[in-house]
Amino acid sequence: SSSPIMSSLLPKFYNAWFCPYAQRAWISFLEKGVQFEYIEQDPYNKTPEWLALNPQGLVPTIVHNGKSVYESSVCIQYIDEAWDTGKHLLPTDPYGRAKVRIWSDHISKKLEPPYYRLLMKREESERTQAKEDILKGVRTLMAEMDPEGPFFSGSSLSMVDIMFAPFAVRFQIVLPHFRQFSIPDDKTFKRYHTWYAAVSQHESVKKTTPEADKLIPVYTRYADGSASSMVAEAIKKGTTLP
């Protein structure tokens, strides 16, 4: 039972079950222990009603007290700040919060784009580069992880874990299927695999992760080049992900 700082109205959570960005907000709600109304939303169906809630028509979108909050990293922070449940997704001290934001940004800039590039690029050289970028991004993140762990900041799940978990799951399920690529299971990546084992089995992550046989068909359009989502268009043009 949470005691909202702002109101007792249940927030509405607009989600698409297959979306890694929306999964971040979903994990956050469950992890934080906040009750919410779940609304499955097709983000490709850009109705005026949907665009009134989020001008880009993207998930996740949270509507709380009649106001919309979107952008996955913003949603994590909003859920953490709006409800006081005794559980924190970000540290309470300014440096701790800054560090979590720095490494969340690393995930957005250094780990998400090469995932989509590896799926979508046709040239072998571009795919090889994407694989190298993923491994470099993972090694850089690993070096910042709490040595004991198992999570990024220590014994409890926090924003960095929530940012990376949906993509790490897709590294594990989607990339081996389409591109015969996975994070090597060797001593270089030992800390990553310790982290992944803990995160992938963590209740809020498990409950929000689609089964492999449902997830793989979603990415067929990316792998065969027919995807037309905003993410796909950004990868094709080489622009920043939305």
Side-chain angles (χ1 to χ4, degrees), residues 21 45 73 77 98 108 117 139 187 208 231:
Y21 298 100
N45 183 20
S73 64
Q77 295 176 68
S108 298
R117 288 204 313 271
R139 282 196 304 270
K187 65 176 189 294
T208 57
V231 167

Side-chain angles (χ1 to χ4, degrees), residues 7-18:
S7 113
S8 58
L9 284 176
L10 282 188
K12 290 181 163 67
F13 169 46
Y14 292 83
N15 184 50
W17 65 268
F18 55 83

Side-chain angles (χ1 to χ4, degrees), residues 24 73 76 104 107-108 112 159-167:
R24 291 167 169 169
S73 64
I76 298 169
S104 295
I107 292 157
S108 298
E112 292 166 25
M159 180 171 173
V160 178
D161 306 301
I162 295 168
M163 285 289 290
F164 193 23
F167 283 91

